[in-house]
mmCIF file with all atom_site columns, all heavy atoms in Angstrom:
data_model
loop_
_atom_site.group_PDB
_atom_site.id
_atom_site.type_symbol
_atom_site.label_atom_id
_atom_site.label_alt_id
_atom_site.label_comp_id
_atom_site.label_asym_id
_atom_site.label_entity_id
_atom_site.label_seq_id
_atom_site.pdbx_PDB_ins_code
_atom_site.Cartn_x
_atom_site.Cartn_y
_atom_site.Cartn_z
_atom_site.occupancy
_atom_site.B_iso_or_equiv
_atom_site.pdbx_formal_charge
_atom_site.auth_seq_id
_atom_site.auth_comp_id
_atom_site.auth_asym_id
_atom_site.auth_atom_id
_atom_site.pdbx_PDB_model_num
ATOM 1  N N   . THR A 1 8   ? -14.408 2.301   25.625  1.00 0.00 ? 31  THR A N   1
ATOM 2  C CA  . THR A 1 8   ? -14.539 1.082   26.425  1.00 0.00 ? 31  THR A CA  1
ATOM 3  C C   . THR A 1 8   ? -13.353 0.850   27.325  1.00 0.00 ? 31  THR A C   1
ATOM 4  O O   . THR A 1 8   ? -12.204 0.980   26.855  1.00 0.00 ? 31  THR A O   1
ATOM 5  C CB  . THR A 1 8   ? -14.774 -0.124  25.517  1.00 0.00 ? 31  THR A CB  1
ATOM 6  O OG1 . THR A 1 8   ? -15.944 0.038   24.723  1.00 0.00 ? 31  THR A OG1 1
ATOM 7  C CG2 . THR A 1 8   ? -14.895 -1.467  26.271  1.00 0.00 ? 31  THR A CG2 1
ATOM 8  N N   . LEU A 1 38  ? -16.208 16.725  13.986  1.00 0.00 ? 61  LEU A N   1
ATOM 9  C CA  . LEU A 1 38  ? -15.779 17.222  12.705  1.00 0.00 ? 61  LEU A CA  1
ATOM 10 C C   . LEU A 1 38  ? -16.967 17.384  11.768  1.00 0.00 ? 61  LEU A C   1
ATOM 11 O O   . LEU A 1 38  ? -17.976 16.640  11.849  1.00 0.00 ? 61  LEU A O   1
ATOM 12 C CB  . LEU A 1 38  ? -14.734 16.274  12.061  1.00 0.00 ? 61  LEU A CB  1
ATOM 13 C CG  . LEU A 1 38  ? -13.426 16.150  12.875  1.00 0.00 ? 61  LEU A CG  1
ATOM 14 C CD1 . LEU A 1 38  ? -12.530 15.084  12.215  1.00 0.00 ? 61  LEU A CD1 1
ATOM 15 C CD2 . LEU A 1 38  ? -12.701 17.511  12.961  1.00 0.00 ? 61  LEU A CD2 1
ATOM 16 N N   . SER A 1 51  ? -2.635  9.996   -1.980  1.00 0.00 ? 74  SER A N   1
ATOM 17 C CA  . SER A 1 51  ? -3.420  9.104   -1.123  1.00 0.00 ? 74  SER A CA  1
ATOM 18 C C   . SER A 1 51  ? -4.909  9.543   -1.144  1.00 0.00 ? 74  SER A C   1
ATOM 19 O O   . SER A 1 51  ? -5.243  10.707  -1.116  1.00 0.00 ? 74  SER A O   1
ATOM 20 C CB  . SER A 1 51  ? -2.878  9.223   0.332   1.00 0.00 ? 74  SER A CB  1
ATOM 21 O OG  . SER A 1 51  ? -3.720  8.471   1.199   1.00 0.00 ? 74  SER A OG  1
ATOM 22 N N   . THR A 1 84  ? -18.734 -0.961  -2.997  1.00 0.00 ? 107 THR A N   1
ATOM 23 C CA  . THR A 1 84  ? -18.104 -1.360  -4.223  1.00 0.00 ? 107 THR A CA  1
ATOM 24 C C   . THR A 1 84  ? -19.221 -1.895  -5.199  1.00 0.00 ? 107 THR A C   1
ATOM 25 O O   . THR A 1 84  ? -19.946 -2.806  -4.833  1.00 0.00 ? 107 THR A O   1
ATOM 26 C CB  . THR A 1 84  ? -17.043 -2.432  -3.954  1.00 0.00 ? 107 THR A CB  1
ATOM 27 O OG1 . THR A 1 84  ? -16.073 -1.922  -3.055  1.00 0.00 ? 107 THR A OG1 1
ATOM 28 C CG2 . THR A 1 84  ? -16.312 -2.837  -5.215  1.00 0.00 ? 107 THR A CG2 1
ATOM 29 N N   . PRO A 1 86  ? -21.230 -3.971  -7.991  1.00 0.00 ? 109 PRO A N   1
ATOM 30 C CA  . PRO A 1 86  ? -21.116 -5.351  -8.435  1.00 0.00 ? 109 PRO A CA  1
ATOM 31 C C   . PRO A 1 86  ? -20.221 -5.413  -9.651  1.00 0.00 ? 109 PRO A C   1
ATOM 32 O O   . PRO A 1 86  ? -20.227 -4.618  -10.556 1.00 0.00 ? 109 PRO A O   1
ATOM 33 C CB  . PRO A 1 86  ? -22.533 -5.726  -8.768  1.00 0.00 ? 109 PRO A CB  1
ATOM 34 C CG  . PRO A 1 86  ? -23.359 -4.728  -8.037  1.00 0.00 ? 109 PRO A CG  1
ATOM 35 C CD  . PRO A 1 86  ? -22.597 -3.447  -7.930  1.00 0.00 ? 109 PRO A CD  1
ATOM 36 N N   . ALA A 1 92  ? -14.248 0.709   -3.018  1.00 0.00 ? 115 ALA A N   1
ATOM 37 C CA  . ALA A 1 92  ? -14.838 2.065   -3.093  1.00 0.00 ? 115 ALA A CA  1
ATOM 38 C C   . ALA A 1 92  ? -14.922 2.704   -1.695  1.00 0.00 ? 115 ALA A C   1
ATOM 39 O O   . ALA A 1 92  ? -15.455 3.807   -1.606  1.00 0.00 ? 115 ALA A O   1
ATOM 40 C CB  . ALA A 1 92  ? -16.197 2.022   -3.779  1.00 0.00 ? 115 ALA A CB  1
ATOM 41 N N   . ASP A 1 93  ? -14.431 2.071   -0.725  1.00 0.00 ? 116 ASP A N   1
ATOM 42 C CA  . ASP A 1 93  ? -14.516 2.573   0.691   1.00 0.00 ? 116 ASP A CA  1
ATOM 43 C C   . ASP A 1 93  ? -13.916 4.029   0.772   1.00 0.00 ? 116 ASP A C   1
ATOM 44 O O   . ASP A 1 93  ? -14.519 4.823   1.491   1.00 0.00 ? 116 ASP A O   1
ATOM 45 C CB  . ASP A 1 93  ? -13.623 1.792   1.619   1.00 0.00 ? 116 ASP A CB  1
ATOM 46 C CG  . ASP A 1 93  ? -13.897 0.276   1.510   1.00 0.00 ? 116 ASP A CG  1
ATOM 47 O OD1 . ASP A 1 93  ? -14.736 -0.183  0.758   1.00 0.00 ? 116 ASP A OD1 1
ATOM 48 O OD2 . ASP A 1 93  ? -13.181 -0.483  2.309   1.00 0.00 ? 116 ASP A OD2 1
ATOM 49 N N   . LEU A 1 142 ? -10.473 -11.878 16.027  1.00 0.00 ? 165 LEU A N   1
ATOM 50 C CA  . LEU A 1 142 ? -10.461 -10.786 17.025  1.00 0.00 ? 165 LEU A CA  1
ATOM 51 C C   . LEU A 1 142 ? -9.062  -10.137 17.081  1.00 0.00 ? 165 LEU A C   1
ATOM 52 O O   . LEU A 1 142 ? -8.971  -8.891  17.075  1.00 0.00 ? 165 LEU A O   1
ATOM 53 C CB  . LEU A 1 142 ? -10.918 -11.350 18.402  1.00 0.00 ? 165 LEU A CB  1
ATOM 54 C CG  . LEU A 1 142 ? -12.366 -11.641 18.566  1.00 0.00 ? 165 LEU A CG  1
ATOM 55 C CD1 . LEU A 1 142 ? -12.575 -12.431 19.882  1.00 0.00 ? 165 LEU A CD1 1
ATOM 56 C CD2 . LEU A 1 142 ? -13.239 -10.454 18.460  1.00 0.00 ? 165 LEU A CD2 1
#
Side-chain angles (χ1 to χ4, degrees):
T31 300
L61 296 175
S74 174
T107 302
D116 309 359
L165 288 170

